[in-house]
Amino acid sequence: MRLLILGGSWFLGRTLIVDALARGWEVTAFSRGKNGQPPVGATHVLGDRRNDVDLQRLAESGPWDALIDTSAFEPIDVTRVTEALGKQIEQYVLISTVSAYLDWPAVPVSEDSAPWPSSLTYTEDSPELAALSIGGQYGTLKAGCETAATDGDMRSLVVRPGVILGPGEYVGRGLKLLTRAARGGRWLLPAPPAQPIQPVDVRDVSTFLLNSLEAKRDGVFNLVAPVGHSTYGALIDVCLALTGNRAQPAWVDPRWLDEQGVRQWTEIPLWRIPEGTWQVDGRRAAEAGIRLQTTA
């Protein structure tokens, strides 16, 4: 298997490269090199996906059986790649997000739920996005990326993860929780501790993607843990155990936290009041064989 990864210096991209190399695959990583180098064993093509000359130079390293795109932000990012690589790629795998759903996190969603209305021409500066929330803008652009990835002649696989945790996570959700646990003292947390959560481990995401390439799987999949797989309380217990049980959780009414101006999702990671936050249907991925062997 010849695999091209757009990105590959950190987190999911890096994990994918390590796992693919362990399978004996030939891996090319295309990145700007600003966030480090890909793992040893991968061929690194230095370049910017928004530079046509760099993309044409990348095309000379092909062909590939599949491309995994971990870094597309605007639809034109995908369009440029598909136009430059043309027949060099058999399958395009896009890492999208559950934020692409119009009604998430307000209500539960499945792969059949409507995405944000978008356009291949939208950018983060498009006036059509100006009135949207930051989440709405992000979701709209990601929905446009999905359209760009699925409109061409090549096979496509779109995955919509919720929260990805695990080694190398750079958003800081897991680290923030661990840091707060390590500080000790009374720790205000949103009740109830039995609240289901659906994060997945980066290693499980990588395994699912590479297995999907071997199976020549296409379509759209939510990549989330099933409801009931874990709870917010269980996650906090792990953080406490890893930091010597120095903090004392105080589970309080989440509406009270919101009234005090505590910022959902950022000040208290993985906490949001809307009912659909942790009600993402992951049955399609489960039926396709996603394995949650590691902590999610």
Side-chain angles (χ1 to χ4, degrees):
M1 176 78 72
R2 297 197 75 208
L3 177 63
L4 170 62
I5 294 181
L6 303 187
S9 299
W10 58 358
F11 202 36
L12 177 57
R14 190 173 189 87
T15 304
L16 283 164
I17 291 176
V18 170
D19 290 352
L21 291 173
R23 296 183 185 216
W25 295 8
E26 185 177 337
V27 183
T28 300
F30 179 69
S31 72
R32 295 174 297 175
K34 293 185 176 182
N35 298 306
Q37 300 296 309
V40 174
T43 298
H44 187 200
V45 178
L46 197 63
D48 189 330
R49 65 184 301 154
R50 297 189 173 185
N51 184 303
D52 291 337
V53 174
D54 289 348
L55 286 174
Q56 290 300 328
R57 182 164 45 83
L58 172 64
E60 297 172 2
S61 300
W64 297 274
D65 298 298
L67 174 157
I68 301 180
D69 189 345
T70 69
S71 59
F73 180 63
E74 297 176 339
I76 190 63
D77 292 334
V78 179
T79 302
R80 282 193 179 100
V81 170
T82 57
E83 290 178 350
L85 300 184
K87 301 299 183 182
Q88 299 283 65
I89 303 294
E90 290 187 16
Q91 182 172 23
Y92 202 112
V93 180
L94 177 71
I95 310 301
S96 186
T97 168
V98 295
S99 294
Y101 291 115
L102 175 63
D103 294 327
W104 185 87
V107 299
V109 294
S110 73
E111 288 89 351
D112 295 324
S113 299
W116 281 92
S118 193
S119 167
L120 295 178
T121 63
Y122 282 174
T123 71
E124 60 181 329
D125 298 319
S126 293
E128 294 88 348
L129 277 62
L132 299 177
S133 66
I134 292 176
Q137 294 175 8
Y138 177 60
T140 298
L141 293 174
K142 279 294 194 176
C145 289
E146 292 185 8
T147 300
T150 57
D151 268 359
D153 295 331
M154 69 182 73
R155 290 186 299 110
S156 61
L157 171 65
V158 174
V159 295
R160 296 171 179 153
V163 172
I164 303 177
L165 298 176
E169 187 233 332
Y170 58 88
V171 176
R173 298 183 181 109
L175 180 60
K176 191 167 186 175
L177 289 171
L178 287 167
T179 300
R180 177 60 190 88
R183 195 167 77 229
R186 190 165 179 258
W187 186 6
L188 291 181
L189 291 162
Q195 167 66 50
I197 58 174
Q198 296 180 282
V200 289
D201 190 285
V202 65
R203 292 160 290 189
D204 298 327
V205 173
S206 176
T207 297
F208 178 79
L209 291 172
L210 299 186
N211 286 349
S212 293
L213 293 181
E214 290 182 328
K216 298 187 181 300
R217 185 176 294 128
D218 53 18
V220 179
F221 294 85
N222 294 329
L223 294 192
V224 295
V227 175
H229 176 74
S230 189
T231 66
Y232 202 81
L235 175 63
I236 296 303
D237 286 344
V238 170
C239 293
L240 291 170
L242 291 173
T243 56
N245 292 299
R246 299 173 62 184
Q248 296 81 47
W251 297 94
V252 299
D253 189 333
R255 292 169 297 181
W256 180 84
L257 289 171
D258 189 49
E259 290 168 358
Q260 308 314 305
V262 178
R263 293 191 301 274
Q264 299 176 43
W265 210 245
T266 54
E267 279 195 275
I268 300 183
L270 309 190
W271 165 55
R272 265 182 176 165
I273 289 177
E275 65 170 319
T277 301
W278 299 117
Q279 293 290 329
V280 179
D281 189 341
R283 286 175 294 181
R284 186 175 295 178
E287 292 167 358
I290 190 170
R291 298 195 300 270
L292 302 176
Q293 300 180 28
T294 50
T295 302

